[in-house]
Amino acid sequence: MTEIGRKSGRAFLFYVLTVMAAAITIEMDSQQIDSHLYLLLPAKERLIAQNDDIFPKDFNARLTVTLPENGIYYLLANTFEAEESGSYSLRAAISQQ
């Protein structure tokens, strides 16, 4: 994990994913924080997906997206609320198309 930025008291944790174009689901679960995920394609300087709450009363985050191309993607994990901290888990499932 690498902290790459901080804004309004929120730290972004940065993960590098090297994957083939595929359908992918990434989940960030926590009982302590309001999870927030961003998936970026840096080669195209493009935000692929973001999610704050799975459902209105479920503060975990889930991204379900078809990756447009093979390559390196950046996953940024943080909290929705400033100054939140706590543990969380990340899960990813990839299905080839």
Side-chain angles (χ1 to χ4, degrees):
M1 291 182 284
T2 304
E3 184 179 305
I4 61 165
R6 185 175 288 274
K7 183 176 182 182
S8 302
R10 291 185 286 175
F12 290 85
L13 295 176
F14 174 77
Y15 301 88
V16 177
L17 309 173
T18 303
V19 293
M20 306 275 291
I24 186 168
T25 299
I26 302 169
E27 294 184 358
M28 181 179 177
D29 296 326
S30 177
Q31 297 297 315
Q32 301 172 340
I33 62 172
D34 186 356
S35 306
H36 201 153
L37 289 172
Y38 299 88
L39 184 64
L40 303 149
L41 178 57
K44 304 276 176 150
E45 298 181 2
R46 192 166 107 199
L47 176 67
I48 301 297
Q50 68 174 324
N51 183 260
D52 171 33
D53 298 332
I54 294 175
F55 300 109
K57 295 191 185 228
D58 185 340
F59 300 118
N60 296 308
R62 179 186 301 143
L63 303 176
T64 302
V65 65
T66 299
L67 302 176
E69 60 187 65
N70 300 345
I72 296 173
Y73 291 80
Y74 294 163
L75 179 67
L76 280 73
N78 75 333
T79 62
F80 183 76
E81 298 293 333
E83 305 300 332
E84 274 188 316
S85 65
S87 63
Y88 64 88
S89 65
L90 284 175
R91 275 186 311 280
I94 298 172
S95 60
Q96 300 297 328
Q97 294 183 338

